Amino acid sequence: MTLEIIGAVVALTVFRLAWTLKRPVHKDITFYILPGLSNLSKILRYDPDFSYVPYGLIWYAINVPIVRTVRYNGRFWITVLALIDIVFLYYANEFLGFTVFLAYVMIGTFQLLRAPWNASINWLIILAPISWIFLLLAPIAKFPVGLPVQVWRYTERAVGHQHNYIYFGLLGTLWLIVFNHLYFLPGLESLVVIGLGIVWCCIFGYAYLERRVKRQKSTAKPPE
């Protein structure tokens, strides 16, 4: 890793930590993620009155020790995720190349700041150079594999909730980029990443305009 990359990773981590410490903790973390991580036994035996976090047992195995270490503090949990991610940024640059590293910086940062519960899914994808099995484990961890079958209905609901399609889509995009780099058309990697980047610029633009229109409608006064 060159000094330039090291400096970039340090600067990125400082930015991530500053954002995490300054911004309010996402309400989904407070009301869904942390209660889910602190009630694994209830999740495994299925309680219909409990609000489930529809992720797989692999996801819980990764995140439960982390939240226990920080005593179920959402802000500290995100902070630890950001620090752990330094290792994966290094790994991405060393074993997946600069183009994938750059894509991971963009996708990983957005996910960490907006949907930190997906950080560990990113890690599994980035570990794919070790074995293709990690590309299989990533979706297994993302979906409630190993949980009661009734939990799958929460996944169906989650995909269409607000802008969750963006979070799912970014995970799929990172998966495709890494898969392409390792097994498909690595020679066209730059074109693939640029093309996907353009697509995501359009998606984010649409999401921004959609949100702006909804805000204008909600603040508009009804006619007298």
Side-chain angles (χ1 to χ4, degrees):
M1 181 179 287
T2 65
L3 291 177
E4 290 82 1
I5 296 296
I6 293 174
V9 170
V10 170
L12 177 65
T13 303
V14 170
F15 166 74
R16 289 172 164 186
L17 293 177
W19 178 285
T20 299
L21 296 174
K22 184 177 181 180
R23 302 282 294 184
V25 176
H26 198 295
K27 63 180 181 180
D28 284 353
I29 294 176
T30 303
F31 294 109
Y32 298 105
I33 301 297
L34 293 180
L37 289 170
S38 62
N39 290 278
L40 184 56
S41 59
K42 183 180 292 187
I43 289 175
L44 291 176
R45 66 172 182 267
Y46 185 69
D47 183 346
D49 297 323
F50 187 71
S51 295
Y52 278 83
V53 181
Y55 290 90
L57 281 180
I58 295 174
W59 181 85
Y60 282 93
I62 297 172
N63 287 280
V64 166
I66 299 175
V67 295
R68 284 183 176 176
T69 301
V70 299
R71 298 185 178 182
Y72 301 98
N73 183 299
R75 194 180 304 278
F76 290 166
W77 175 56
I78 303 172
T79 299
V80 173
L81 293 178
L83 294 175
I84 294 175
D85 200 54
I86 295 173
V87 177
F88 290 90
L89 288 166
Y90 165 81
Y91 187 87
N93 180 69
E94 289 294 311
F95 297 98
L96 289 168
F98 180 75
T99 302
V100 178
F101 166 77
L102 188 60
Y104 181 55
V105 166
M106 303 296 289
I107 295 174
T109 299
F110 181 85
Q111 294 276 37
L112 185 68
L113 302 183
R114 299 294 299 175
W117 47 87
N118 284 331
S120 54
I121 310 297
N122 290 336
W123 298 343
L124 293 173
I125 297 171
I126 293 299
L127 289 175
I130 297 175
S131 171
W132 61 267
I133 292 176
F134 284 98
L135 288 176
L136 181 62
L137 291 178
I140 290 176
K142 176 63 179 176
F143 295 101
V145 177
L147 271 60
V149 67
Q150 297 94 327
V151 180
W152 282 89
R153 63 188 178 90
Y154 292 90
T155 299
E156 297 174 4
R157 187 186 310 168
V159 173
H161 179 65
Q162 295 181 351
H163 291 140
N164 278 358
Y165 69 91
I166 291 178
Y167 306 143
F168 278 90
L170 286 173
L171 286 174
T173 298
L174 182 62
W175 192 97
L176 287 173
I177 289 172
V178 173
F179 175 81
N180 178 75
H181 174 84
L182 294 174
Y183 303 111
F184 195 49
L185 297 172
L188 299 178
E189 180 174 78
S190 296
L191 291 176
V192 170
V193 172
I194 292 173
L196 289 171
I198 293 173
V199 170
W200 275 106
C201 285
C202 295
I203 293 174
F204 280 120
Y206 169 79
Y208 170 77
L209 293 175
E210 181 186 37
R211 186 175 183 181
R212 186 173 180 179
V213 169
K214 288 182 178 180
R215 282 184 176 180
Q216 289 176 347
K217 288 182 178 180
S218 64
T219 56
K221 294 182 179 180
E224 296 181 357

